[in-house]
Structure formats: structure tokens, C-alpha cells
């Protein structure tokens, strides 16, 4: 096979396991006698021509590290056609044949635009802690983020128990309840307050009172942060004002983003990385790597750009049922 330069980058929010994907892509390209080119800082790096050839040793010892060796960014300029033209000029100038993107929903849209406007071969991998990409049951980093949040909440429960307290614990996930629902189930939360739902105060109060009647003096509620962190403080204030219920708030924040990836994230990021290289070398249109029915598959990228409602009402119902 002719030796070609294939670029790879990480974009949007970082997630644990991105490094495993970088390693797998780099080594797999080298195995197939191709030249991997690392792009520093996502789409901003594309605009600046911030490229470097990667050797096998460059990606050694990174499997166990959170964050991303290639660093990441958000670029308003790349989101414009003029910005993408500039990126394409850089890619042409460096004789780069194709691009593998590890990122979230926004990064997928950017990659798709490069294909549509410039016919650049692109392959995407789902890299986000939020598990909110269409058509895939799994995104790289979600498992680690759930594990981290779960361990933090287990610790908070010790205090909730010792002091008979009601806690609102806020977890990450912009528009997605995926972390909140999994963590809620894993930590025995009373309820999960989803990003788009109105807060059902009466339901919260009834839950606390029901618990008290059977001798339970502490409660944990998981709050999905939604568009802006800090929603829990509003809930806390209203509960105090209208129902005289004292509570504590803990916002887990960026602690959920970092840290060493779990085995699940390392394993799947490695398989997905190799699959992305396979799709690039046998290119037949832009593809997204995904997990469906437990299998790592590839599918047309545009299928992942159509948003469905994505709500998981079954898990929420189960959390309520088994926390009585
Ligand atoms: P994520 O990939 O984690 O969802 P963002 O939404 O911030 O993160 O997207 C990452 C980058 O992808 C943005 O900074 C922008 O450069 C690019 N991008 C996002 N949305 C689009 C879009 N609709 N069209 C083209 N590029 C986009």
C-alpha cells in the first residue's frame, strides 16, 4: 500500500481514554506502513498547521493517562467555511491525505463539513464523557467519568449518613443525563434531576419524608448540571424557603473529566482506534466508529448528526422504584 500521511486530532472536551485511542491509531497506522501526523490542539491546530509526525515511541506510556497527549481546543474560526478553507490549505500544503477526529458531537459536525466542502477523507471516534453521541451506546471516557463520580458520591454518603443530611450532588453532562442516571443507580440516589426537566419539588419533599418515616435520615439526589453548573444551589434555596428543608450541595465539576481511564475505556478506545485506521485505509465515505449491540462497528458519519430525544426514562423510573 502506498505510504500516505494521515492526521489525527482530539477536539472539544477532553475525556479519559483519548490517549488510548491516539496510541492505537498511531501504532496501527505505523503497522500498515502509513505516516501518522499528530495535530496539536484540535481544530485550532489544523488552522495553524501545528503538525508533527508521530513515531511509535511518541505514544508510549500514555495508555494509563487521562487528558490528551495531543491537547484539545474549541475553535470558533473552524466552525466557519472560511476557517475550514484555511484548515484545508494547511492540510494540502503538508500533503495530508485524511483526518481521524476523536471528539464529541460538535467535532463530528466539523469533520463532516470538511468532507462535504473539501472531500477530505474523515473518520470519527466518539470521545466525550457525556455518552451523548447518536448511534453509539458507548463513548470513550464515559465509563471512567461514571466510576469517578460514583466513588466521590460514596464518600459523600459517609457524611450524609453521619450527619443525617440531604445532599444534592451535581454531575457533568451539558444536555445529557447519561452520567447522572448511571451514577444515580450505582449510588442508590433517591432521584435524579435531569437537565431539561422542571424540578419537581413536591416529589423531592415527598421522597425525603417517605424516607424519614421508615427511619432513613439522609438522602442523596443527583443533579445533572445542564447548560450551566450551579443549578443545585437554586434547588437548595427553594427547598429551604418553601419547605424548610436544610440540605447541602456538592458540585463534582472537572474532577469527573480527568484521571486514569478504566479498563473498559482503555479496551474500547484501543479497538475503536484500530477500527478507525481500517476505515481510513479502505475509505468508502466518511465513517463514525460506534458501539452497537456490544460490537464496535462503523457507520456513515451523517447518521450520527441527527439528534434524537435520547431520554432514558426506564433508568430514572428504576432509580425511584428501588430507593423507596
Ligand atoms: P464536542 O466535540 O466535545 O461536542 P464542541 O461542541 O465544542 O465540542 O465542538 C468542538 C469544535 O468543533 C468546535 O470548537 C468547532 O470548531 C467545531 N464545530 C462544532 N460545531 C460545528 C459545526 N456545526 N460545524 C462545524 N464545526 C463545528
Amino acid at each position: 500500500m502506498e505510504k500516505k500521511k494521515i492526521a489525527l486530532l482530539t477536539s472539544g472536551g477532553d475525556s479519559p481514554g483519548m490517549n488510548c485511542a491516539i496510541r492505537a491509531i498511531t501504532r496501527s497506522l505505523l503497522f500498515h506502513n502509513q505516516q501518522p501526523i499528530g495535530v496539536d490542539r484540535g481544530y485550532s491546530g489544523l488552522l495553524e498547521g501545528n503538525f508533527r509526525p508521530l513515531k511509535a515511541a511518541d505514544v508510549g506510556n500514555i495508555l494509563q493517562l487521562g487528558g490528551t497527549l495531543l491537547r484539545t481546543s474549541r475553535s470558533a474560526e473552524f466552525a466557519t467555511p472560511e476557517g475550514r478553507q484555511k484548515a484545508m490549505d494547511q492540510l494540502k500544503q503538508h500533503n495530508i491525505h485524511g483526518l481521524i477526529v476523536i471528539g464529541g458531537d460538535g467535532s463530528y459536525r466539523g469533520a463532516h463539513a470538511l468532507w462535504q466542502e473539501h472531500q477530505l477523507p474523515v473518520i470519527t471516534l466518539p470521545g466525550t464523557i457525556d455518552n451523548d453521541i447518536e448511534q453509539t451506546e458507548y463513548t470513550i471516557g464515559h465509563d471512567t467519568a461514571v466510576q469517578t463520580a460514583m466513588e466521590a458520591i460514596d464518600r459523600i454518603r459517609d457524611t450524609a449518613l453521619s450527619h443525617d443530611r440531604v445532599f444534592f450532588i451535581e454531575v457533568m453532562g451539558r444536555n445529557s443525563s447519561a452520567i447522572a442516571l448511571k451514577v444515580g443507580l450505582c449510588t442508590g440516589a433517591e432521584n435524579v434531576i435531569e437537565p431539561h426537566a422542571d424540578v419537581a419539588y413536591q416529589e423531592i419533599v415527598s421522597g425525603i419524608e417517605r424516607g424519614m418515616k421508615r427511619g432513613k435520615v439522609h438522602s442523596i439526589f443527583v443533579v445533572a448540571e445542564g447548560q450551566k453548573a450551579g443549578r443545585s444551589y437554586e434547588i437548595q434555596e427553594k427547598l429551604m424557603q418553601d419547605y424548610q428543608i436544610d440540605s447541602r450541595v456538592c458540585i463534582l465539576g472537572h474532577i469527573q473529566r480527568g484521571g486514569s481511564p478504566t479498563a473498559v475505556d482503555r479496551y474500547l478506545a484501543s479497538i475503536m482506534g484500530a477500527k478507525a485506521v481500517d476505515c481510513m485505509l479502505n475509505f468508502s465515505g466518511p465513517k463514525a466508529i460506534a458501539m452497537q449491540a456490544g460490537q464496535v462497528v462503523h457507520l456513515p458519519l451523517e447518521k450520527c448528526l441527527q439528534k434524537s430525544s435520547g431520554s432514558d426514562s426506564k433508568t430514572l423510573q428504576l432509580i425511584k422504584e428501588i430507593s423507596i
Side-chain angles (χ1 to χ4, degrees):
M1 195 182 287
E2 184 198 345
K3 189 167 187 165
K4 290 181 187 148
K5 287 183 183 173
I6 307 292
L8 59 141
L9 60 80
T10 48
S11 168
D14 64 303
S15 66
M18 279 183 162
N19 278 329
C20 308
I22 292 170
R23 174 178 177 271
I25 294 164
T26 302
R27 298 257 170 103
S28 195
L29 283 168
L30 290 168
F31 178 82
H32 289 99
N33 196 32
Q34 305 295 305
Q35 176 59 67
I37 305 288
V39 181
D40 192 43
R41 293 187 57 247
Y43 291 138
S44 301
L46 268 193
L47 294 169
E48 294 152 10
N50 215 334
F51 304 145
R52 64 180 149 131
L54 293 173
K55 300 188 294 297
D58 293 331
V59 294
N61 260 324
I62 63 168
L63 260 179
Q64 75 281 18
L65 303 178
T68 156
L69 170 86
L70 292 175
R71 305 195 295 163
T72 182
S73 70
R74 295 202 161 91
S75 165
E77 190 180 357
F78 183 82
T80 66
E82 298 74 28
R84 290 191 291 275
Q85 179 63 58
K86 212 163 129 184
M88 199 56 215
D89 293 344
Q90 289 285 6
L91 288 163
K92 273 194 189 143
Q93 204 179 321
H94 289 81
N95 199 23
I96 291 171
H97 169 80
L99 177 66
I100 300 178
V101 171
I102 309 160
D105 186 55
S107 306
Y108 273 36
R109 288 175 200 283
H112 190 249
L114 270 182
W115 163 256
Q116 280 204 311
E117 293 163 8
H118 302 282
Q119 291 72 55
L120 178 78
V122 290
I123 306 292
T124 62
L125 282 88
T128 164
I129 62 169
D130 297 338
N131 211 20
D132 60 350
I133 298 183
E134 289 304 313
Q135 303 290 334
T136 184
E137 292 152 12
Y138 160 86
T139 62
I140 297 166
H142 179 65
D143 189 67
T144 307
V146 169
Q147 180 75 23
T148 305
M150 184 189 79
E151 286 170 9
I153 295 175
D154 284 349
R155 290 192 171 93
I156 294 166
R157 182 180 283 279
D158 292 346
T159 296
L161 255 168
S162 307
H163 288 268
D164 303 347
R165 287 221 159 112
V166 176
F167 261 93
F168 289 90
I169 303 170
E170 195 166 301
V171 299
M172 275 186 160
R174 273 197 290 183
N175 298 313
S176 160
S177 310
I179 294 179
L181 288 170
K182 272 205 193 132
V183 160
L185 195 55
C186 294
T187 59
E190 303 302 317
N191 205 337
V192 168
I193 298 155
E194 297 193 88
H196 297 303
D198 289 336
V199 182
Y201 285 98
Q202 196 50 58
E203 192 182 310
I204 293 175
V205 174
S206 307
I208 295 170
E209 287 173 351
R210 198 176 51 233
M212 281 175 169
K213 271 196 197 132
R214 67 165 172 88
K216 186 175 177 181
V217 284
H218 72 284
S219 301
I220 285 179
F221 293 85
V222 174
V223 181
E225 68 180 3
Q227 284 301 331
K228 98 176 161 29
R231 283 177 90 196
S232 306
Y233 288 115
E234 287 166 30
I235 300 171
Q236 181 188 35
E237 244 178 71
K238 193 160 165 68
L239 270 189
M240 191 49 159
Q241 262 175 20
D242 296 359
Y243 302 93
Q244 291 73 55
I245 291 178
D246 189 20
S247 59
R248 294 289 180 275
V249 165
C250 181
I251 298 178
L252 297 185
H254 282 87
I255 202 167
Q256 297 156 92
R257 278 264 191 91
S260 184
T262 58
V264 169
D265 278 329
R266 295 183 198 197
Y267 178 75
L268 289 168
S270 302
I271 293 176
M272 286 184 156
K275 185 90 175 168
V277 169
D278 185 40
C279 285
M280 181 57 84
L281 301 187
N282 300 290
F283 190 74
S284 61
K287 296 285 187 309
I289 309 301
M291 179 186 271
Q292 292 188 339
Q295 298 295 314
V296 173
V297 297
H298 60 84
L299 56 138
L301 176 54
E302 62 268 20
K303 280 202 170 175
C304 302
L305 306 179
Q306 299 141 11
K307 275 262 162 228
S308 68
S309 82
S311 108
D312 178 4
S313 49
K314 273 192 191 156
T315 303
L316 183 58
Q317 185 52 35
L318 180 60
I319 289 168
K320 291 182 196 172
E321 273 174 30
I322 64 178
S323 69
I324 50 168

